[in-house]
Amino acid sequence: MDMTFENTPYTISVIGLGYVGCVSAACLARMGHQVIGVDVDPRKVEQLRQGQPTIVELGIEDMVKEQVELRRLRATSDIVEAIRCSDVCLLCVGTPSNEQGHADLSAIWSAAEQIKEAIRIRDQFLIVAIRSTVPPGTCQEVESLIAESGKVPGVDFAVVSNPEFLREGSSIQDYFNPSYTLIGTEDERAFKQMSEVYSGVKAPVLSAAREVAEMIKYVNNSFHALKVVFANEIGVVCSALGVDPHVLMGLFCRDDRLNTSSAYLKPGFAYGGSCLPKDVRALNAIARSRNLDVAVLSAIERSNNMHIERALRMIMAAGGKRIGILGLAFKSGTNDLRESPAVALVERLVGKGYEVMIHDSAVLDSLVNETDRKDGGGSLAPHLRQRLEPDLEKLMQAADVIVVSQKNKLYQLHVQDASQSKPVIDLVRISEEVPDSGSYKGLTW
């Protein structure tokens, strides 16, 4: 592997010599760092000492042998010894599922206890980077445990999240060619030093809150699992119809503007409109007509309806009887009311006795011009028409609770102002800069 790295060399201890640990140790050594591999299993320690990897992976055998011979990679079973001479400690221990499905963090706590003992007699700053996949809040707990040593977080040490994005079979390639390297920390010194650790990798080093970094691997893998199941269920339906699913999904993947992109992947309100609802129902009807069990496809509509109910509960919990709804059409800039989740939400509120006022300029204009039926946008029931309020300022003043159900720039400043005096329930994240107010609540943020 012909690579040249220019970076600041650190002494790095890698705790746990399983799949992630072995790959991380070898690659970090290849980047010029002094690496100490640590494991409680004496067989793994001896393997690494002999220049042999602890896993089977393309390219790892030659890399481990080379780095051991160059004396950039060594191994020990003594965590305390490794920590005493390290600048950075990577925790790469296993976190398997327990009987309830939760991550078993016993190896994390065991390592943290030993780090606590080792750090007592250190003077220099230590970074503890958790590379294992752990639930949000684990870094905070590890930090608190290590602080029992008397050392001060942010002064004597920092605990950061550093998730790995490695695929078995191509882990070395993935290590040196990631989309980005993520460091979960708000400690500037820790972020700077971890950025230097990875300076030899040609990819951006991004920062995030620790909890975000801890969560991302679960999200990544759950989405990958969802994609596998989705493709398999499409295969089941296609096979029953005599359609080649590989040709179909090949075409599906050619669309990287919508299908295989970031489109539709931001949390917000439920879907609606003229296409998604009817086509999801039609595909499920086809599956049912052939007695096909497609668990993921059949759950889509139910999950969408649950999201509307989730919004309803938030509004009811906010208190107040006069509800101001900002946006009725399913998408800003259109008067299309077909299966709009905002319409469904308003119907539920009215049915529960709430006074509802609605502002939507596109819908109002179409009613004035009598175009709501002509363009296929769907008609508006009389009891909802009478709740339309053309005066946005009047609605903002009169409502006890403001509900944002449409991303419309017209509403942004009004929401900012209203949140200072009354509850605002934002279903669509109208702005990336959410109001700094306790009365503002996002649907899932």
Side-chain angles (χ1 to χ4, degrees):
M1 186 177 293
D2 184 17
M3 292 182 292
T4 301
F5 297 102
E6 295 180 3
N7 59 349
T8 302
Y10 283 88
T11 299
I12 302 170
S13 55
V14 177
I15 314 300
L17 293 176
Y19 176 76
V20 173
C22 183
V23 173
S24 297
C27 290
L28 286 166
R30 178 67 183 83
M31 292 162 63
H33 300 294
Q34 289 293 320
V35 180
I36 309 167
V38 185
D39 203 284
V40 295
D41 186 342
R43 293 172 301 175
K44 291 182 179 180
V45 172
E46 187 58 29
Q47 277 182 278
L48 210 62
R49 284 175 175 168
Q50 297 298 323
Q52 300 169 2
T54 60
I55 62 169
V56 176
E57 178 77 2
L58 181 65
I60 195 70
E61 188 171 355
D62 290 341
M63 186 177 291
V64 167
K65 183 175 185 294
E66 175 190 55
Q67 297 311 311
V68 169
E69 290 177 349
L70 289 172
R71 299 184 182 277
R72 286 201 293 242
L73 176 59
R74 57 191 177 91
T76 180
S77 57
D78 189 340
I79 292 183
V80 174
E81 175 202 347
I83 295 298
R84 285 174 179 169
C85 59
S86 296
D87 304 301
V88 177
C89 169
L90 289 189
L91 283 187
C92 301
V93 297
T95 54
S97 296
N98 62 20
E99 291 181 358
Q100 291 75 39
H102 295 292
D104 180 352
L105 302 181
S106 56
I108 291 283
W109 306 136
S110 176
E113 285 283 356
Q114 294 179 76
I115 293 170
K116 179 180 72 175
E117 295 307 314
I119 203 173
R120 290 182 193 275
I121 56 176
R122 280 178 59 100
D123 292 324
Q124 67 267 39
F125 189 70
L126 175 70
I127 298 174
V128 178
I130 300 183
R131 202 145 168 80
S132 305
T133 304
V134 296
T138 303
C139 282
Q140 178 61 54
E141 292 186 56
V142 168
E143 180 181 276
S144 298
L145 195 158
I146 295 174
E148 292 175 6
S149 66
K151 298 296 184 179
V152 180
V155 176
D156 301 306
F157 73 98
V159 178
V160 309
S161 175
N162 177 212
E164 50 84 17
F165 307 111
L166 307 177
R167 296 168 296 172
E168 291 193 44
S170 60
S171 61
I172 294 176
Q173 179 71 14
D174 290 345
Y175 196 98
F176 291 119
N177 298 279
S179 296
Y180 56 79
T181 296
L182 182 60
I183 310 298
T185 185
E186 294 179 2
D187 186 301
E188 293 183 6
R189 175 163 51 161
F191 179 74
K192 178 178 181 294
Q193 292 186 14
M194 289 299 293
S195 297
E196 290 173 352
V197 167
Y198 290 108
S199 62
V201 175
K202 305 303 181 184
V205 180
L206 307 180
S207 65
R210 288 191 299 199
E211 294 80 7
V212 170
E214 288 171 318
M215 187 68 172
I216 195 166
K217 187 65 181 293
Y218 290 114
V219 175
N220 286 0
N221 283 344
S222 295
F223 187 54
H224 299 331
L226 178 61
K227 288 190 288 185
V228 170
V229 173
F230 175 80
N232 287 342
E233 289 194 359
I234 293 300
V236 168
V237 177
C238 285
S239 179
L241 298 173
V243 175
D244 188 330
H246 286 274
V247 172
L248 185 146
M249 293 306 288
L251 290 169
F252 174 90
C253 293
R254 289 284 294 273
D255 182 356
D256 57 9
R257 186 167 62 92
L258 294 178
N259 293 346
T260 56
S261 71
S262 61
Y264 307 118
L265 284 175
K266 290 290 181 67
F269 200 23
Y271 66 74
S274 62
C275 297
L276 270 61
K278 75 177 183 64
D279 289 345
V280 168
R281 282 195 293 268
L283 183 56
N284 276 284
I286 291 170
R288 287 195 304 273
S289 70
R290 285 157 177 79
N291 296 317
L292 303 174
D293 188 1
V294 284
V296 167
L297 294 175
S298 64
I300 295 173
E301 188 172 21
R302 175 173 173 267
S303 179
N304 199 55
N305 289 332
M306 288 170 63
H307 213 48
I308 298 173
E309 292 297 325
R310 192 171 288 120
L312 177 63
R313 291 194 299 272
M314 282 190 69
I315 296 167
M316 293 172 64
K321 294 298 292 182
R322 295 186 300 275
I323 312 298
I325 305 290
L326 304 185
L328 191 62
F330 92 99
K331 185 183 292 185
S332 178
T334 174
N335 66 333
D336 196 341
L337 299 171
R338 287 173 291 183
E339 305 212 39
S340 169
V343 171
L345 180 62
V346 169
E347 293 281 13
R348 286 168 169 79
L349 287 167
V350 170
K352 290 184 177 294
Y354 286 89
E355 297 175 32
V356 179
M357 303 169 66
I358 308 163
H359 184 275
D360 190 313
S361 55
V363 172
L364 284 161
D365 290 344
S366 69
L367 292 176
V368 170
N369 298 320
E370 296 184 345
T371 60
D372 58 317
R373 290 181 183 274
K374 296 176 183 177
D375 65 0
S379 60
L380 188 61
H383 71 284
L384 295 184
R385 283 184 184 230
Q386 67 188 25
R387 288 175 166 80
L388 285 168
E389 174 53 64
D391 189 336
L392 179 56
E393 294 287 351
K394 180 180 177 181
L395 180 149
M396 299 299 293
Q397 290 294 325
D400 299 321
V401 180
I402 301 297
V403 178
V404 189
S405 57
Q406 194 179 88
K407 269 199 171 183
N408 188 326
K409 289 183 178 180
L410 175 65
Y411 299 144
Q412 286 186 10
L413 289 178
H414 290 84
V415 166
Q416 180 74 40
D417 292 340
S419 67
Q420 304 305 314
S421 59
K422 63 183 65 178
V424 172
I425 308 297
D426 186 354
L427 308 181
V428 295
R429 196 174 181 97
I430 191 165
S431 173
E432 287 303 311
E433 297 296 325
V434 299
D436 183 17
S437 167
S439 61
Y440 169 91
K441 295 186 183 301
L443 179 55
T444 57
W445 56 90

